[in-house]
Amino acid sequence: MKNILVTGGAGFIGSNFINHTLKERDDYFIVNLDKLTYAGNLENLKPSQDKRNYRFVKGDIVNSELVNFIFEKYRIKYVINFAAESHVDRSILGSEIFYRTNVIGTNVLLETARKFEVEKFLQVSTDEVYGSLGSSGFFTESTPLSPNSPYSSSKAAADMMALSFHHTFGLPVVVTRCSNNYGSYQFPEKLIPLMIINSLKGKPLPVYGDGLNVRDWIYVIDHNNAINLVLEKGVCGEVYNIGAGNEMPNIQIIKLILNYIKKSEDLIQYVKDRPGHDRRYAIDSSKIQSQLNWRPEFSFEDAIIKTIDWYIENKNWWERIISGEYEKYYNSQYKNR
Ligand code: NAD
Ligand code: TYD
């Protein structure tokens, strides 16, 4: 049995990771530590909740006592740190919780992993640590880090902290830097689910700036397959970029969604730009492809339709979310734009 601590496993990527991994692996014992912030939802984990090789612990990664208790009780040998505050817009509204969770929380996990001599610590980082590209070029693993938002600067700090624990203490750390994910269970504050849900409801679609900012999209299952591979075969001290080669201006995705849902493009509403908005992200993932033999399996054309269909079929899931606390955030975020 591989005893793995997965943090943030009730969020979008973490819950997809647990459900997908436990479907295929009964030699993994997964303990999911999640604070259940606004972004954490145990409903996401229904397919895994009754599995004998799965446990859920509600708690904060900043809580060193609890983290120590979990490592000891479950004899944790692997860590995958997904837990984070993850939304750029929220980090602009208030940055403190981003540094608390993403930086201090990661530090607690690293110190505890060192004490318990784990076999691997996988820090889930992001391509946003590289900053913004102009109209050409790609992020490689040696592109200097140049984060621009409170969110990305907190992730860059955690990413560098993890690598420093390898360099200084020999902790077996690997870091993954992935591009923008999409898929089921993504919280509706993010571009793709927000635009799908607003289209379904016939609400305006708020496009920041000129709509020509470019993101490089990857289906969440492709990201998670890469994480499993890096956990098994990644070389300690190394960084692996993960991306599926799907660069797209925001407006193109928004039109695709409207078109598939058969709603008018009149719903598009250009609004005030996000402060400090990164222009373009594009990932060079040739290292993980050549060294670990990873390949994305899903084409954007197929997986975006799968994703839109999931939101159409799982209205109950998102209706419960958008009628709660999230409504207040939405009204304040888009009020004066
Ligand atoms: P998410 O916001 O959907 O989920 C985050 C989860 O972390 C939630 O379940 C939340 O309850 C939990 N959490 C937050 N603070 C916590 C704390 N202090 N202690 C314990 N749990 C806590 O985020 P996501 O989109 O699933 O992203 C997961 C990870 O992947 C993050 O580290 C993010 O930076 C990284 N990432 C995301 C993307 C993307 O496109 N979404 C791309 C690259 C990297
Ligand atoms: P987002 O999903 O917040 O991811 P990130 O900022 O981490 O890349 O946003 C993706 C892109 O979509 C980004 O360029 C900002 C843009 N965007 C909008 O135009 N309108 C919106 O309401 C949101 C949430 C995002």
Side-chain angles (χ1 to χ4, degrees):
M1 266 300 180
K2 260 188 171 176
N3 290 7
I4 308 176
L5 173 63
V6 170
T7 68
F12 162 49
I13 305 177
S15 62
N16 273 288
F17 175 85
I18 292 173
N19 292 335
H20 178 65
T21 303
L22 288 184
K23 213 163 50 185
E24 293 176 358
R25 308 289 303 239
D26 51 17
D27 56 331
Y28 281 12
F29 180 82
I30 293 184
V31 180
N32 172 13
L33 170 62
D34 196 297
K35 187 179 167 189
L36 298 183
T37 67
Y38 77 92
N41 186 348
L42 286 181
E43 266 187 64
N44 303 2
L45 290 152
K46 273 204 184 121
S48 306
Q49 66 187 13
D50 297 326
K51 292 224 154 83
R52 57 168 187 82
N53 53 343
Y54 171 73
R55 294 288 182 284
F56 173 70
V57 180
K58 180 177 184 310
D60 193 331
I61 57 168
V62 172
N63 181 345
S64 168
E65 212 176 303
L66 173 67
V67 171
N68 269 271
F69 170 79
I70 291 170
F71 272 73
E72 186 157 7
K73 173 164 182 188
Y74 294 107
R75 294 193 292 277
I76 296 299
K77 283 291 161 209
Y78 297 84
V79 179
I80 306 177
N81 183 24
F82 289 104
E85 289 293 333
S86 69
H87 189 35
V88 174
D89 288 325
R90 286 185 193 252
S91 79
I92 296 167
L93 293 175
S95 62
E96 191 183 342
I97 187 72
F98 283 75
Y99 297 110
R100 184 184 181 277
T101 291
N102 301 1
V103 183
I104 299 173
T106 302
N107 179 251
V108 167
L109 293 170
L110 287 165
E111 285 292 4
T112 317
R114 186 156 85 89
K115 179 168 151 196
F116 285 87
E117 299 181 342
V118 298
E119 288 176 29
K120 217 165 218 175
F121 187 109
L122 192 156
Q123 173 63 16
V124 181
S125 189
T126 162
D127 64 350
E128 299 194 28
V129 298
Y130 295 121
S132 184
L133 290 165
S135 55
S136 63
F138 296 90
F139 298 132
T140 72
E141 287 81 355
S142 53
T143 301
L145 304 200
S146 181
N148 289 319
S149 70
Y151 163 68
S152 56
S153 66
S154 69
K155 291 295 292 183
D159 175 319
M160 294 172 102
M161 196 167 30
L163 291 171
S164 79
F165 270 61
H166 172 73
H167 187 83
T168 305
F169 305 115
L171 189 73
V173 164
V174 279
V175 173
T176 57
R177 296 182 185 144
C178 188
S179 62
N180 285 63
N181 286 222
Y182 63 99
S184 55
Y185 301 114
Q186 187 169 29
F187 197 85
E189 66 193 355
K190 305 280 167 49
L191 178 80
I192 289 183
L194 188 142
M195 297 301 163
I196 296 172
I197 290 171
N198 283 17
S199 305
L200 291 171
K201 290 171 69 88
K203 274 177 75 170
L205 273 49
V207 181
Y208 297 164
D210 61 5
L212 296 178
N213 296 65
V214 170
R215 296 293 182 266
D216 189 350
W217 294 94
I218 183 169
Y219 190 53
V220 64
I221 301 298
D222 278 331
H223 181 190
N224 283 329
N225 283 332
I227 285 186
N228 267 320
L229 196 60
V230 173
L231 186 73
E232 277 190 47
K233 301 203 173 120
V235 176
C236 294
E238 293 291 317
V239 174
Y240 297 91
N241 279 354
I242 304 170
N246 284 307
E247 272 187 68
M248 226 165 278
N250 297 332
I251 193 68
Q252 192 179 328
I253 302 192
I254 291 165
K255 288 185 176 169
L256 182 158
I257 293 169
L258 280 168
N259 193 21
Y260 183 71
I261 295 179
K262 298 196 169 52
K263 287 286 170 69
S264 161
E265 288 186 9
D266 292 346
L267 286 176
I268 293 173
Q269 192 173 77
Y270 287 92
V271 300
K272 199 163 130 226
D273 207 354
R274 170 189 280 173
H277 196 176
D278 285 339
R279 190 63 174 169
R280 174 172 166 261
Y281 301 149
I283 276 264
D284 176 341
S285 64
S286 52
K287 177 174 171 180
I288 189 171
Q289 300 216 20
S290 64
Q291 295 187 8
L292 302 185
N293 207 17
W294 173 82
R295 299 276 179 284
E297 287 170 14
F298 293 87
S299 72
F300 183 80
E301 292 68 32
D302 292 344
I304 189 72
I305 299 304
K306 255 168 108 78
T307 303
I308 302 173
D309 284 341
W310 187 87
Y311 282 89
I312 292 173
E313 284 154 21
N314 289 276
K315 205 165 163 232
N316 284 343
W317 181 88
W318 54 261
E319 273 198 325
R320 269 196 289 279
I321 292 170
I322 63 171
S323 62
E325 211 29 52
Y326 176 66
E327 199 176 357
K328 282 190 215 142
Y329 160 79
Y330 190 91
N331 292 335
S332 76
Q333 170 67 12
Y334 295 97
K335 179 176 61 190
N336 295 321
R337 290 191 114 111

